[in-house]
Amino acid sequence: MKIITARTKQKKYPVYINVDFNSFFPQIVNKEFRDSEKVILITNNKVFSIYEEKIKSALEKCLKLSEIIIIQDGEEYKNLESTDYIYSRLIDFNAHRNDVIVAFGGGVIGDLGGFAASTFNRGMKFIQCPTTIISQVDSSIGGKVGVNYRKVKNIIGSFYQPDAVIIDPVFNYTLDDEQIINGLGEIVKYGLVFDKSILDKLLKNATGDSKNKPGELIKAEDFKDIIYRCCKIKTKVVRKDEFDTGYRNLLNFGHTIGHCIENAFNLKEISHGKAVSIGMIIAIDISISLGFLKEDFKEKIIELYKMLGLPYKMPEIDAGKIIDVIKYDKKFKSTQNKFVLLKGMNKPLFYYNLDEDTIIDNIKKSMYN
Ligand code: NAD
Ligand code: GLY
């Protein structure tokens, strides 16, 4: 097991990595959450159907009253209706501020459960138990919690740091290939922007077969270390810029265009991770066209993508449609766009007011190259 201490203005909290959930969770609850009378675990129906036994057995060992709240699986349930349902269950359970809410699931459950925890009783104790790669390396750390509203992603929310994050990499073994690819895309982002050794480890463990069997890659011993390195980066970034006023935007590498690709494809025809993977290639292309990078940089990254089975070509679409979405991106000020580009490996830069032609040319390039 490894422990990273996340230090924020709100809280200092441990991120436990490579633990066995079944034995570790009750141990931590009984030791660190002694004052809590109840443990209330929030999950979704899909995760519950896979892990019902494990969840119940861990809760039993907590020697406290315990309750389980089950939400429907899917991004479309990350909303105020689900929040309302959680509040009503918490009232039924007579939940007090000192009781502990546990988000057990992927980023959707972490964001939703965290939002409920941050607002019910003006803030409950909160543990994140992330069960997808994306939630383990990204969303469970850093306190961004919230829900979607009227089809706008994450538009209602707050910063609410958890009291602990518990990461058992074995949960990833039941993810389907699509979810693994989504997670690998985020990991490549950390490698490109912050720590090249992550890419080296991915490459070392990616046999040519990884694109057919991504499940094998995530079982490699090195993968545990990759998760650890990503968590270390995330905690450092959050420490520097907890409230996302500047530096934390670096985590958006590939996401600006990625989100627009997702939206242009109606948030369902292309997954988040795939859109971000393509978005990173477009950000590299833009960096090349502005003279920050050389073409051979991209060639090496495409080789890595091929080994991992990540998509690097944009499905055909009218590039103007993506530009339209960029204009409404909530991260931009009304008159200014801001992109994260690269001027070398682990050398990110912010670029402001990128002109439309450069964006359109590079989106087209990624369709036909
Ligand atoms: P998700 O929570 O929807 O999980 C993806 C799918 O995997 C779901 O069907 C889920 O039920 C299933 N699943 C979860 N754990 C599983 C397991 N162990 N085995 C099998 N299936 C499992 O999505 P995600 O990719 O984990 O996260 C994406 C969400 O996270 C988005 O809502 C995004 O906005 C949010 N997010 C938040 C932050 C943040 O900083 N708060 C960062 C990144 C992403
Ligand atoms: N996942 C982006 C952030 O935490 O800022």
Side-chain angles (χ1 to χ4, degrees):
M1 176 182 72
K2 290 199 169 169
I3 307 175
I4 300 171
T5 304
R7 291 170 205 278
T8 67
K9 291 184 186 78
Q10 274 180 14
K11 264 175 213 167
K12 184 175 121 186
Y13 56 93
V15 180
Y16 302 103
I17 302 161
N18 298 336
V19 303
D20 166 43
F21 172 80
N22 217 310
S23 55
F24 190 75
F25 176 79
Q27 199 182 310
I28 283 303
V29 167
N30 290 331
K31 194 166 149 217
E32 306 295 339
F33 296 82
R34 251 176 266 116
D35 296 342
S36 302
E37 203 180 292
K38 298 182 229 37
V39 184
I40 299 148
L41 184 142
I42 304 175
T43 189
N44 74 29
N45 56 323
K46 180 173 178 185
V47 174
F48 191 65
S49 71
I50 305 172
Y51 291 110
E52 178 173 356
E53 227 173 274
K54 226 175 189 179
I55 289 172
K56 286 185 171 165
S57 129
L59 287 176
E60 260 167 36
K61 289 187 219 148
C62 288
L63 312 171
K64 290 177 191 287
L65 293 171
S66 65
E67 303 286 356
I68 300 172
I69 300 176
I70 300 175
I71 306 294
Q72 291 300 302
D73 179 30
E75 180 72 32
E76 63 271 36
Y77 293 98
K78 192 173 116 176
N79 58 22
L80 289 176
E81 286 73 37
S82 301
T83 313
D84 182 87
Y85 175 69
I86 295 172
Y87 292 154
S88 69
R89 300 300 290 144
L90 292 175
I91 289 173
D92 292 344
F93 302 148
N94 192 20
H96 285 270
R97 190 181 290 168
N98 247 2
D99 293 335
V100 57
I101 292 192
V102 180
F104 184 95
V108 166
I109 288 297
D111 284 11
L112 171 69
F115 181 60
S118 81
T119 43
F120 192 81
N121 263 331
R122 298 202 176 84
M124 308 270 297
K125 300 260 176 223
F126 178 44
I127 302 179
Q128 287 267 21
C129 293
T131 62
T132 61
I133 299 172
I134 288 194
S135 56
Q136 294 190 351
V137 301
D138 188 356
S139 61
S140 62
I141 301 168
K144 279 189 184 175
V145 295
V147 295
N148 309 324
Y149 182 67
R150 296 196 179 185
K151 294 193 181 161
V152 187
K153 272 198 80 165
N154 301 329
I155 194 76
I156 297 181
S158 58
F159 286 95
Y160 192 69
Q161 303 294 340
D163 295 284
V165 181
I166 297 177
I167 299 177
D168 181 345
V170 169
F171 287 131
N172 294 326
Y173 296 179
T174 50
L175 294 175
D176 60 29
D177 287 356
E178 180 87 1
Q179 296 309 330
I180 296 175
I181 296 287
N182 278 339
L184 291 179
E186 292 293 339
I187 288 175
V188 168
K189 174 193 79 180
Y190 282 110
L192 284 170
V193 178
F194 300 100
D195 180 359
K196 178 182 177 296
S197 74
I198 291 174
L199 301 182
D200 297 338
K201 289 215 173 211
L202 280 177
L203 207 53
K204 183 176 143 213
N205 289 281
T207 58
D209 228 14
S210 297
K211 60 177 179 293
N212 302 320
K213 294 182 188 160
E216 295 303 311
L217 168 65
I218 65 163
K219 285 183 189 154
E221 197 51 33
D222 273 345
F223 200 75
K224 292 182 183 161
D225 187 56
I226 288 175
I227 293 177
Y228 168 73
R229 284 173 197 232
C230 294
C231 292
K232 190 101 191 149
I233 294 166
K234 179 84 197 247
T235 49
K236 267 193 188 163
V237 172
V238 169
R239 185 174 185 185
K240 268 195 176 177
D241 181 20
E242 182 175 348
F243 299 108
D244 204 8
T245 56
Y247 186 76
R248 189 165 171 173
N249 293 176
L250 288 180
L251 296 170
N252 279 331
F253 179 68
H255 284 58
T256 308
I257 290 193
H259 285 150
C260 298
I261 298 173
E262 268 185 286
N263 277 313
F265 284 92
N266 305 316
L267 285 176
K268 48 180 185 266
E269 290 150 44
I270 185 159
S271 70
H272 173 76
K274 285 187 175 166
V276 168
S277 298
I278 298 165
M280 289 193 287
I281 295 296
I282 296 175
I284 289 174
D285 273 332
I286 294 173
S287 306
I288 293 171
S289 68
L290 294 174
F292 294 130
L293 287 178
K294 298 227 161 62
E295 195 65 42
D296 64 340
F297 185 94
K298 179 182 166 190
E299 283 159 16
K300 285 196 192 110
I301 302 307
I302 298 272
E303 277 316 302
L304 174 69
Y305 268 49
K306 284 184 180 165
M307 296 282 272
L308 297 174
L310 295 180
Y312 52 92
K313 275 192 178 192
M314 173 90 166
E316 278 194 34
I317 191 172
D318 172 9
K321 209 171 162 187
I322 294 186
I323 294 289
D324 287 344
V325 188
I326 289 179
K327 285 182 184 157
Y328 293 105
D329 191 310
K330 71 177 185 299
K331 289 187 293 302
F332 294 157
K333 292 183 182 156
S334 53
T335 53
Q336 200 183 50
N337 68 37
K338 177 180 176 184
F339 281 80
V340 184
L341 301 178
L342 288 179
K343 55 180 191 296
M345 181 61 79
N346 301 160
K347 290 185 180 148
L349 77 147
F350 291 119
Y351 195 91
Y352 297 87
N353 290 329
L354 189 59
D355 65 278
E356 271 188 36
D357 288 348
T358 308
I359 305 173
I360 292 188
D361 286 352
N362 285 291
I363 291 172
K364 284 187 181 156
K365 193 172 172 193
S366 75
M367 281 183 219
Y368 304 117
N369 253 0

